[in-house]
Amino acid sequence: MRLESEVKISIIMAVNKKHEFIEKAIDSILLQTFKEFEFLIIINGDYENLIPFLEKYKLKDKRIKIYRSDIKQLQYNLNFGIDKAQSNIIARMDSDDISLPSRLEKQYNYLLENNIDILGTDFYYIDKDDRVINKKNFVEFKNEEIRRKLYYHCVFCHPTLMYKKQVVLDVGGYCFGKVAEDWDLFLRLLRNKNIVFGNLNERLFKYRIHDLQMSSLNIKLNFFNISFLYFRELFYQKNINLLKGGILYLIFFICTPFYVKLKKIRERNLE
């Protein structure tokens, strides 16, 4: 049995249903080259199927810790996980994605060596059958570049993130509604000039595109919420550059049907 002092990373994953991708997601964490972690899985639905399934995993690997939550909002359950985490280093994981074997090791070392507070990575897009359908290459890796881009665009893939727990707690954790909880967090972190952002220039993650993800209605709601967040931050930060994001996502909100159609055509062409 591992000692609590050996926990250097706390991985947080919220899950609300047992689906076909969850085993690959869990296995991708348990097979990491970096071993000194705890894996916090927050169940917020489908208890009848998820609890027996996850308990079998827990018997095989004591690093897994299972918690039950009756509140189904993602941001609440991420905060719940952060509160339970033993380590000051948090890694995100989603239940339908895959972390490549060296993800934790490379992120952890890079984050500490460069004194970064919030660190993402490049990633692959995969389909429901694990086939790579596209590659994501961020061009913003340094703090200054990321801060400039955040004025109108997000340069992080949320489930790839590794961050310092206290930095996120100091801004109040995850706070915003049903969608766009990651954008809300990034924009509030942007207020603090001392926070250091970074992206690792290496694909260490596989982000899955599948039919269970956002509906067209939720995409429209997401665009509206993101636009609101930028206008809110314009008020708080008094930085006119944030107006770019507010206007851009308001246009996306108005043009959502056209955007969704183009997105579907693009995804078909990538298959």
Side-chain angles (χ1 to χ4, degrees):
M1 185 173 179
R2 294 178 179 271
L3 299 173
E4 303 296 337
S5 60
E6 292 182 358
V7 175
K8 294 180 180 177
I9 302 174
S10 296
I11 303 153
I12 298 175
M13 183 177 84
V15 57
N16 62 10
K17 65 178 66 174
K18 186 176 183 295
H19 52 71
E20 60 183 301
F21 310 120
I22 189 170
E23 290 187 60
K24 290 177 181 177
I26 294 172
D27 288 340
S28 77
I29 293 297
L30 299 182
L31 295 174
Q32 290 288 303
T33 56
F34 190 98
K35 305 298 182 185
E36 296 93 346
F37 63 81
E38 61 174 352
F39 190 9
L40 284 65
I41 302 177
I42 319 300
I43 305 172
N44 59 339
D46 196 15
Y47 307 119
E48 184 177 342
N49 292 312
L50 277 169
I51 290 177
F53 168 73
L54 292 173
E55 286 290 347
K56 290 179 181 178
Y57 264 103
K58 185 178 177 181
L59 290 173
K60 296 177 185 177
D61 197 315
K62 300 299 182 184
R63 293 174 296 180
I64 292 178
K65 298 178 180 179
I66 301 169
Y67 297 95
R68 172 174 169 164
S69 165
D70 291 326
I71 298 177
K72 292 182 169 55
Q73 287 186 320
L74 176 60
Q75 76 275 21
Y76 173 86
N77 292 289
L78 294 179
N79 286 335
F80 183 95
I82 292 172
D83 186 61
K84 296 293 183 182
Q86 294 177 34
S87 174
N88 186 45
I89 305 295
I90 304 291
R92 280 281 290 110
M93 184 64 194
D94 278 347
S95 64
D96 50 359
D97 299 327
I98 295 173
S99 288
L100 295 180
S102 61
R103 176 204 166 185
L104 294 181
E105 180 180 0
K106 290 182 176 180
Q107 274 193 287
Y108 182 79
N109 291 334
Y110 190 85
L111 183 141
L112 294 184
E113 289 168 5
N114 296 278
N115 195 27
I116 291 173
D117 297 304
I118 311 290
L119 179 65
T121 78
D122 282 340
F123 59 95
Y124 297 97
Y125 287 104
I126 59 173
D127 65 13
K128 62 182 180 61
D129 299 313
D130 297 345
R131 293 176 299 190
V132 174
I133 56 176
N134 201 359
K135 301 173 183 179
K136 181 63 177 179
N137 294 307
F138 289 119
V139 295
E140 301 82 9
F141 304 110
K142 302 298 183 183
N143 181 49
E144 297 78 13
E145 299 168 341
I146 291 171
R147 283 182 168 274
R148 281 196 297 270
K149 194 67 173 281
L150 280 173
Y151 289 140
Y152 61 93
H153 183 63
C154 182
V155 294
F156 291 115
C157 175
H158 189 203
T160 72
L161 288 189
M162 181 177 286
Y163 51 78
K164 294 177 182 175
K165 174 180 178 179
Q166 195 57 50
V167 168
V168 170
L169 288 177
D170 286 345
V171 298
Y174 292 90
C175 295
F176 199 63
K178 186 177 180 181
V179 294
E181 78 288 333
D182 49 347
W183 289 75
D184 171 63
L185 177 63
F186 301 147
L187 290 174
R188 283 184 290 112
L189 289 166
L190 193 60
R191 299 177 191 175
N192 186 339
K193 304 302 182 186
N194 295 318
I195 290 174
V196 180
F197 298 96
N199 263 321
L200 194 51
N201 185 12
E202 187 171 354
R203 286 183 287 273
L204 299 173
F205 196 82
K206 293 182 177 181
Y207 181 84
R208 193 181 302 277
I209 304 294
H210 58 86
D211 295 337
L212 300 177
Q213 289 169 315
M214 256 191 215
S215 65
S216 297
L217 179 61
N218 278 342
I219 290 174
K220 190 176 180 71
L221 178 62
N222 201 43
F223 286 151
F224 179 80
N225 284 339
I226 293 169
S227 178
F228 162 77
L229 291 170
Y230 273 109
F231 285 119
R232 183 197 69 186
E233 289 307 306
L234 180 63
F235 172 79
Y236 276 105
Q237 299 186 37
K238 306 293 190 296
N239 188 330
I240 196 65
N241 286 311
L242 290 158
L243 189 60
K244 300 175 190 175
I247 294 172
L248 179 64
Y249 282 92
L250 190 58
I251 293 170
F252 285 168
F253 167 71
I254 294 168
C255 300
T256 298
F258 182 65
Y259 170 86
V260 170
K261 188 180 233 180
L262 279 179
K263 185 170 180 285
K264 287 180 178 177
I265 291 171
R266 181 173 177 270
E267 287 172 1
R268 280 201 302 269
N269 290 338
L270 289 172
E271 288 178 356

